[in-house]
Amino acid sequence: MNNIIIIGGSDAGISAALRIRELNSDVRPLIIDADRYPNFSICGLPYYISREVRDWRSLAHRTREDLVNEGLELLLEHTVKGIHPNTKQITAIDKTGASKELQYDKLLLTTGALSQKPDISGIDKSGVFFLRWLPDCLKIDEFIKESKPKTAVIIGAGYIGMEMTEALAKRGLQVTLVEYADTVLPSLDRELSEKLQATLAKNNVTVATQTSIESIELNNHRLLVKGTNQFERLADMVLISTGSIPNSHLGKSIGLDTGLKGALKVNCRMETQLSDIYAAGDCAETWHKVLNAYTYLPLGTVAHKQGRVAGENLLGGHKEFAGTMGTQSLKFFDNVITRTGLNEQEALRAGLTPISTDLETWDHKVYYLKAEKIHIRVTADRDSRRILGAQMIGAYGTEISKRIDLFSAAIYHELTVQEFSDYDLSYAPPLSSPWDPVQLAVQKLERKLG
Amino acid sequence: MNNIIIIGGSDAGISAALRIRELNSDVRPLIIDADRYPNFSICGLPYYISREVRDWRSLAHRTREDLVNEGLELLLEHTVKGIHPNTKQITAIDKTGASKELQYDKLLLTTGALSQKPDISGIDKSGVFFLRWLPDCLKIDEFIKESKPKTAVIIGAGYIGMEMTEALAKRGLQVTLVEYADTVLPSLDRELSEKLQATLAKNNVTVATQTSIESIELNNHRLLVKGTNQFERLADMVLISTGSIPNSHLGKSIGLDTGLKGALKVNCRMETQLSDIYAAGDCAETWHKVLNAYTYLPLGTVAHKQGRVAGENLLGGHKEFAGTMGTQSLKFFDNVITRTGLNEQEALRAGLTPISTDLETWDHKVYYLKAEKIHIRVTADRDSRRILGAQMIGAYGTEISKRIDLFSAAIYHELTVQEFSDYDLSYAPPLSSPWDPVQLAVQKLERKLG
């Protein structure tokens, strides 16, 4: 009854397997992974490129041995070629093509995501890279070491594009960052993303927004990147970071329903429409608690949560995924940029009546050493007075990544702007102010609401 | 109808007055303060002693001019000698003894707290200090500059005792810290307070616990401090930091009910039993949301919240103080120590069935630069599985002062250990892990609960 197979050994899969072991140590789930290295921190890859991480092996959340010691069964370097729901069997093949049939009682698909390949001619040229998995990362590192590129074009200024901008700049490259939207980090309102201009300039990063890349051509051993708005740049390497798409072909092959971007449809128990088959993580849709709708949001935090829920339910539990709040953080050079909930544009698109305010204040009492300015933007719904979202930018070390989490908790609990002042937040002069900056920002919004 | 008088110009009083101005700019509340300097950050005083703050004037939350610009009326250096509830008048006198009668519609008492004077013979000797208000602070600074003391005994190892230990050590004094309880910072469980031993030793601080000081004698121009357990120490100065008591004599003089330690009794709207007379801040009792009982907890954060509630109600509002969670933070040399909710001992005394666990983990992914170990202790109720409290210790910069606030929010919302994993907390490798350390700690406790 407890023959559990998990296809995929990254965040969601491992999280599910560990949860299973926590709840029932008699069950040993089998993880099948196409890679040699399961449970890698793919969020850490830019820091290997930047040389802030010296050994890629240290990027493993857990080593293979750790996983075996936790009681997991591993079948690595095997690819699942077929699922047979009627007989509850799967077919896996190894690198030599040898195949084996495996029997399951419950199956979890955590097949993850793939880099989106935008429609750009010349995208397969040598010197054009993607960053999703460890091998991508090692290829980029190898290229930098061997070809000693001096200039790079990065296409897409989302989280990975920003982190890779910093990483390549730290490796000495002159980076041009290209974004289709009208600001970098378009998941933030303009009030925040504009704050990064000084940092981009200071680090010698050229930015081209409202620009869509159309072609990459070979030009005298270099790459000529062309796009709309007369964009034309010669570069020694190109990184494409225009987002991810779900790796859902295995699920589709057995007729599983798909939704946004082709992600597998699941309910809040991470069940697909086929009995005893679950899906979690980047291959599946995600319930967004504030939007009150499904979305596609391939994040490690979400994958861990969905995996944990799936693990409990694979053992017959009834756990429900509470939903994402869209919480994200990014370190970019000396800054931290964070967000949770909905920004003003997202709230408008969701048919809400958002009202926002911006507050620039000190992270702790300014009379104490090393106080730093932080910028807080809060959005609430004018009608319900509920807090909908928050965005922050400030120096690394100003605790804004956990300050955004206070907003995440408050929005989770559907707090109004008035109620937010009831939170009893800690204060000592080197750490905060008697009203924490997040409360000062919400009080400012409360005054604006009247 | 809107003749509002506030007696006391510190956190609660100013907070009430500012809230009144926010809600109705036609009302100009009058603040009467015995001091020349209203709205001082008394939490900042140790940093003036330590020389981390160079100018005591910078310790003002707002200057006198700021307050006038906010529309507040100020009557400084005036002491209220009598309140006449029948005629709704008060009598205030200035330094010369000249008195004036003032009429109120609504009255708010925010008379604050006083240093507790323990029963020690010789407590009034020259060289023995308390620290509560700015003049206390200036006296200590003056003494250090003129008398150049080399050794100090600090009696009481609570928050102020700890901050002053650091401050005096930074001024070059050899400090002996004496505590009646069996550990320093007795508001923490032993598992946490013991973690400070290395820091105390490294900074050459001698600690005597389970020691009650009985006398201070003059001995050859120095102070001989004697106590239980054969404690005997010669020192050049003594600081007494054994806590605060409410300054409630004015309220008592008109028959207001008092409770714990003589603090004024108030309901959740900050009303005393006399109509149109309110009290808030350190002179009043505080509702504790987790204990579900009144307590005495003189903290700036609580005073600000109670003041804000009182301000709204002085204008005829119906706002209720939601209660304190007992959230506190402290920077001590390079460490931050934080707590919220109930510790295990407090939970036991409250008749609950606490169960705790300790987790030592990294503040962010260890593969990224400058990861630091943090220690998290979480307590839950075995029967209800609700989180009751948390305590943390870690290096300054590890975001634990805002991590404790996540527990404060969760306990405020009466979350169980299981539900805490539903919080969508931010993650990037330089800032956290895919499950934030606070969630890892609660998951460990969940396993222990079974």
Side-chain angles (χ1 to χ4, degrees):
Chain A
M1 253 316 280
N2 278 322
N3 200 5
I4 295 172
I5 293 183
I6 297 170
I7 305 175
S10 192
D11 293 351
I14 299 292
S15 194
L18 293 172
R19 183 62 175 158
I20 288 166
R21 296 288 303 160
E22 264 182 28
L23 294 172
N24 187 342
S25 59
D26 294 334
V27 180
R28 294 172 72 91
L30 171 69
I31 298 210
I32 306 178
D33 200 283
D35 211 334
R36 268 175 78 180
Y37 305 104
N39 208 204
F40 248 76
S41 174
I42 62 173
C43 299
L45 301 178
Y47 307 106
Y48 180 67
I49 304 290
S50 73
R51 287 307 199 206
E52 288 160 290
V53 171
R54 289 292 174 157
D55 182 354
W56 58 264
R57 287 170 203 83
S58 70
L59 291 176
H61 285 307
R62 290 170 198 79
T63 64
R64 196 170 160 152
E65 290 65 41
D66 292 339
L67 295 172
V68 170
N69 290 339
E70 294 277 2
L72 276 53
E73 305 273 357
L74 299 177
L75 184 64
L76 302 180
E77 295 181 87
H78 274 75
T79 306
V80 175
K81 284 294 167 201
I83 302 173
H84 318 290
N86 293 336
T87 56
K88 291 196 161 185
Q89 282 184 319
I90 63 168
T91 310
I93 59 165
D94 67 13
K95 288 192 294 186
T96 69
S99 81
K100 57 178 80 171
E101 301 288 311
L102 297 158
Q103 195 74 33
Y104 66 83
D105 295 311
K106 306 264 186 184
L107 181 67
L108 173 62
L109 302 180
T110 60
T111 45
L114 304 167
S115 295
Q116 186 176 43
K117 292 201 170 186
D119 183 22
I120 298 172
S121 77
I123 202 173
D124 294 322
K125 294 226 163 4
S126 162
V128 179
F129 298 92
F130 292 85
L131 182 66
R132 177 86 214 161
W133 300 110
L134 180 61
D136 298 331
C137 174
L138 298 177
K139 257 189 265 176
I140 293 172
D141 182 58
E142 206 58 32
F143 180 82
I144 295 174
K145 281 191 288 201
E146 293 192 356
S147 302
K148 299 187 176 46
K150 290 188 171 51
T151 55
V153 168
I154 295 184
I155 303 172
Y159 288 79
I160 293 176
M162 298 298 281
E163 286 170 345
M164 284 300 291
T165 294
E166 178 178 349
L168 294 182
K170 285 189 169 161
R171 286 290 279 271
L173 280 82
Q174 206 282 315
V175 178
T176 299
L177 181 59
V178 182
E179 170 57 45
Y180 174 77
D182 57 359
T183 63
V184 298
L185 273 180
S187 66
L188 299 177
D189 284 332
R190 171 188 300 278
E191 286 76 1
L192 271 275
S193 46
E194 281 180 350
K195 294 258 159 190
L196 291 173
Q197 280 171 359
T199 304
L200 289 158
K202 186 178 151 195
N203 290 285
N204 201 24
V205 178
T206 309
V207 177
T209 53
Q210 292 184 289
T211 301
S212 185
I213 298 301
E214 292 165 327
S215 66
I216 303 170
E217 300 163 15
L218 209 59
N219 182 309
N220 203 11
H221 302 292
R222 300 182 75 194
L223 295 165
L224 179 63
V225 184
K226 289 185 182 174
T228 56
N229 273 333
Q230 285 92 49
F231 181 88
E232 213 174 291
R233 193 79 82 240
L234 264 176
D236 301 317
M237 68 178 285
V238 172
L239 177 81
I240 298 178
S241 52
T242 52
S244 308
I245 53 168
N247 180 20
S248 53
H249 71 91
L250 192 62
K252 283 179 194 162
S253 75
I254 52 167
L256 292 185
D257 292 337
T258 57
L260 291 163
K261 287 193 175 187
L264 300 178
K265 275 191 180 292
V266 285
N267 62 18
C268 280
R269 295 175 59 193
M270 309 318 297
E271 295 166 334
T272 67
Q273 90 267 23
L274 292 185
S275 66
D276 299 326
I277 301 184
Y278 297 72
D282 295 359
C283 66
E285 284 191 342
T286 300
W287 179 251
H288 196 297
K289 194 167 154 61
V290 195
L291 281 177
N292 215 29
Y294 282 96
T295 184
Y296 181 63
L297 195 60
L299 291 174
T301 46
V302 171
H304 274 81
K305 281 179 185 57
Q306 290 188 343
R308 188 174 165 90
V309 168
E312 190 160 335
N313 295 337
L314 285 163
L315 285 178
H318 300 277
K319 180 77 182 163
E320 297 199 344
F321 173 56
T324 181
M325 313 294 298
T327 313
Q328 285 183 273
S329 64
L330 166 73
K331 186 184 115 20
F332 183 62
F333 292 101
D334 297 334
N335 297 301
V336 173
I337 302 110
T338 63
R339 60 154 291 168
T340 191
L342 306 181
N343 66 28
E344 192 164 296
Q345 297 309 312
E346 290 164 341
L348 279 172
R349 281 199 295 275
L352 297 162
T353 53
I355 174 170
S356 304
T357 196
D358 291 85
L359 177 70
E360 196 170 270
T361 187
W362 300 99
D363 70 321
H364 62 255
K365 290 303 293 183
V366 65
Y367 58 71
Y368 190 76
L369 311 173
K370 296 182 190 162
E372 297 265 9
K373 279 275 174 75
I374 58 179
H375 182 111
I376 306 173
R377 180 172 173 82
V378 198
T379 301
D381 185 55
R382 202 185 284 272
D383 296 338
S384 66
R385 300 177 76 91
R386 274 175 49 191
I387 304 172
L388 293 176
Q391 302 162 64
M392 281 189 233
I393 180 166
Y396 188 51
T398 53
E399 304 209 14
I400 66 174
S401 88
K402 295 301 119 184
R403 283 186 161 119
I404 205 73
D405 290 346
L406 286 167
F407 281 113
S408 176
I411 299 168
Y412 178 91
H413 292 292
E414 306 189 354
L415 238 57
T416 62
V417 289
Q418 295 93 311
E419 291 165 333
F420 194 65
S421 288
D422 293 338
Y423 274 179
D424 183 13
L425 307 182
S426 72
Y427 162 57
L431 295 159
S432 183
S433 45
W435 292 108
D436 190 80
V438 295
Q439 289 176 315
L440 293 175
V442 173
Q443 288 169 4
K444 185 175 176 192
L445 184 55
E446 194 183 343
R447 288 193 291 276
K448 191 168 171 182
L449 271 162
Chain B
M1 254 317 279
N2 277 322
N3 200 6
I4 295 171
I5 293 182
I6 297 170
I7 304 175
S10 192
D11 292 352
I14 300 292
S15 194
L18 293 174
R19 182 60 175 159
I20 288 166
R21 296 289 302 161
E22 265 182 27
L23 294 172
N24 186 342
S25 58
D26 294 335
V27 180
R28 294 173 72 89
L30 171 69
I31 296 209
I32 306 177
D33 200 285
D35 212 331
R36 269 174 77 180
Y37 305 103
N39 207 204
F40 248 76
S41 173
I42 62 175
C43 300
L45 301 178
Y47 307 106
Y48 181 67
I49 305 290
S50 72
R51 286 310 198 205
E52 287 159 291
V53 171
R54 288 292 172 158
D55 182 352
W56 58 263
R57 287 169 204 84
S58 69
L59 292 176
H61 284 308
R62 289 171 198 79
T63 65
R64 196 170 160 155
E65 291 64 43
D66 291 338
L67 296 172
V68 170
N69 290 339
E70 295 276 4
L72 277 52
E73 306 272 356
L74 299 176
L75 184 64
L76 303 180
E77 296 182 88
H78 275 74
T79 307
V80 175
K81 282 296 168 198
I83 302 173
H84 318 290
N86 293 336
T87 57
K88 291 197 161 182
Q89 282 184 317
I90 63 167
T91 310
I93 59 165
D94 68 13
K95 287 193 294 187
T96 70
S99 81
K100 57 178 81 171
E101 302 288 311
L102 296 159
Q103 196 74 33
Y104 68 82
D105 297 312
K106 306 266 186 183
L107 183 65
L108 173 62
L109 302 180
T110 60
T111 46
L114 304 167
S115 294
Q116 187 176 43
K117 293 201 169 185
D119 183 22
I120 297 172
S121 78
I123 201 173
D124 294 322
K125 292 224 164 6
S126 162
V128 179
F129 298 92
F130 293 86
L131 182 66
R132 178 86 213 159
W133 301 109
L134 178 61
D136 298 331
C137 175
L138 299 178
K139 259 190 265 177
I140 293 171
D141 181 58
E142 206 58 29
F143 180 83
I144 295 174
K145 283 192 286 200
E146 291 192 356
S147 303
K148 300 184 173 48
K150 291 189 171 49
T151 55
V153 168
I154 294 182
I155 305 172
Y159 289 78
I160 293 176
M162 297 297 281
E163 285 169 345
M164 284 300 291
T165 294
E166 177 178 351
L168 293 182
K170 284 188 169 161
R171 286 290 280 272
L173 281 82
Q174 206 283 314
V175 178
T176 300
L177 181 59
V178 182
E179 170 57 45
Y180 173 78
D182 57 359
T183 63
V184 298
L185 274 181
S187 65
L188 299 177
D189 285 332
R190 173 187 301 279
E191 286 77 0
L192 270 276
S193 46
E194 279 178 352
K195 294 256 159 190
L196 291 173
Q197 279 172 359
T199 305
L200 289 158
K202 185 178 151 196
N203 291 285
N204 200 24
V205 178
T206 309
V207 178
T209 52
Q210 291 183 289
T211 301
S212 184
I213 298 302
E214 293 165 327
S215 67
I216 303 170
E217 299 163 16
L218 208 59
N219 182 310
N220 203 10
H221 302 292
R222 299 182 76 194
L223 294 165
L224 179 63
V225 184
K226 289 185 181 173
T228 56
N229 273 335
Q230 285 93 48
F231 182 87
E232 213 175 292
R233 192 81 80 241
L234 263 176
D236 301 317
M237 68 178 285
V238 172
L239 177 82
I240 299 179
S241 51
T242 52
S244 308
I245 53 167
N247 180 21
S248 53
H249 71 91
L250 192 61
K252 283 179 193 161
S253 75
I254 52 168
L256 292 184
D257 292 338
T258 56
L260 290 162
K261 289 194 175 188
L264 301 178
K265 276 191 179 293
V266 283
N267 62 19
C268 279
R269 295 176 58 195
M270 309 319 296
E271 296 167 332
T272 68
Q273 90 268 22
L274 292 184
S275 66
D276 299 326
I277 300 184
Y278 296 72
D282 295 358
C283 67
E285 284 190 343
T286 299
W287 179 253
H288 197 297
K289 195 168 154 59
V290 194
L291 281 176
N292 215 27
Y294 281 97
T295 184
Y296 181 63
L297 195 61
L299 292 175
T301 46
V302 171
H304 273 82
K305 282 181 183 55
Q306 291 189 343
R308 188 174 165 90
V309 168
E312 190 159 336
N313 294 338
L314 284 162
L315 285 178
H318 300 277
K319 179 78 182 163
E320 296 199 345
F321 172 57
T324 182
M325 313 294 299
T327 314
Q328 285 183 272
S329 65
L330 166 72
K331 186 186 116 16
F332 184 62
F333 292 100
D334 297 334
N335 298 301
V336 172
I337 302 109
T338 63
R339 59 155 290 168
T340 192
L342 306 181
N343 65 29
E344 191 163 296
Q345 296 309 312
E346 290 164 340
L348 279 172
R349 282 199 294 276
L352 297 161
T353 53
I355 174 169
S356 304
T357 196
D358 291 85
L359 177 70
E360 197 169 88
T361 187
W362 300 98
D363 70 322
H364 61 256
K365 290 302 294 182
V366 66
Y367 59 69
Y368 190 75
L369 311 173
K370 295 183 189 162
E372 296 266 9
K373 279 274 175 74
I374 59 179
H375 182 110
I376 306 173
R377 180 172 173 82
V378 199
T379 301
D381 185 55
R382 201 184 285 269
D383 295 338
S384 66
R385 299 177 76 90
R386 273 176 49 191
I387 304 173
L388 294 175
Q391 302 162 65
M392 282 189 230
I393 181 166
Y396 188 53
T398 52
E399 304 210 14
I400 65 173
S401 89
K402 296 300 119 185
R403 283 186 160 119
I404 204 73
D405 290 346
L406 286 167
F407 281 113
S408 176
I411 299 168
Y412 178 90
H413 292 292
E414 307 189 352
L415 239 58
T416 62
V417 290
Q418 296 94 312
E419 291 165 334
F420 194 66
S421 288
D422 292 338
Y423 273 179
D424 182 14
L425 307 181
S426 72
Y427 161 57
L431 295 160
S432 184
S433 45
W435 292 109
D436 191 80
V438 295
Q439 288 176 317
L440 293 175
V442 172
Q443 288 169 4
K444 184 175 176 191
L445 184 55
E446 194 183 342
R447 289 192 291 274
K448 191 167 171 182
L449 269 161

